[in-house]
Amino acid sequence: MTESKIVDLETRMAFLEDTVDALNKQVYQQAKQLSEFQQAMHNLTRHMKQVQSDIEEFKPDNEIPPHY
């Protein structure tokens, strides 16, 4: 009876180790993906600020429209 309990515990422990390993791999992949998304967001934000700056340079506030 004691031997069967030990085998059962070893089996459960092996299953838990596999589960922890799978979860660890998933967390690693998600962290990597999150980092890539953050970099892309940073690049998009920088690009949008540049576009906004370029638009403001070409659109003076005091310019009279050509039809006046």
Side-chain angles (χ1 to χ4, degrees), residues 2 4-6 13 16 24 29 31 35 43-44 47 52 55 58 60 64:
T2 304
S4 67
K5 286 183 179 181
I6 291 173
M13 193 165 86
L16 289 174
N24 191 31
Q29 290 297 325
S35 178
N43 291 341
L44 284 172
H47 180 71
Q52 186 178 15
I55 289 172
F58 290 116
I64 298 173

Side-chain angles (χ1 to χ4, degrees), residues 7-21:
V7 170
D8 184 46
L9 288 173
E10 288 175 343
T11 303
R12 289 180 184 201
M13 193 165 86
F15 175 74
L16 289 174
E17 287 174 347
D18 287 343
T19 302
V20 168
D21 186 46

Side-chain angles (χ1 to χ4, degrees), residues 10-51:
E10 288 175 343
T11 303
R12 289 180 184 201
M13 193 165 86
F15 175 74
L16 289 174
E17 287 174 347
D18 287 343
T19 302
V20 168
D21 186 46
L23 289 172
N24 191 31
K25 288 177 184 176
Q26 185 66 34
V27 168
Y28 171 77
Q29 290 297 325
Q30 288 178 344
K32 184 178 172 184
Q33 189 176 35
L34 179 59
S35 178
E36 291 170 359
F37 286 152
Q38 287 173 331
Q39 184 63 40
M41 184 63 115
H42 174 74
N43 291 341
L44 284 172
T45 302
R46 190 179 63 219
H47 180 71
M48 290 302 294
K49 285 179 181 179
Q50 182 62 44
V51 167

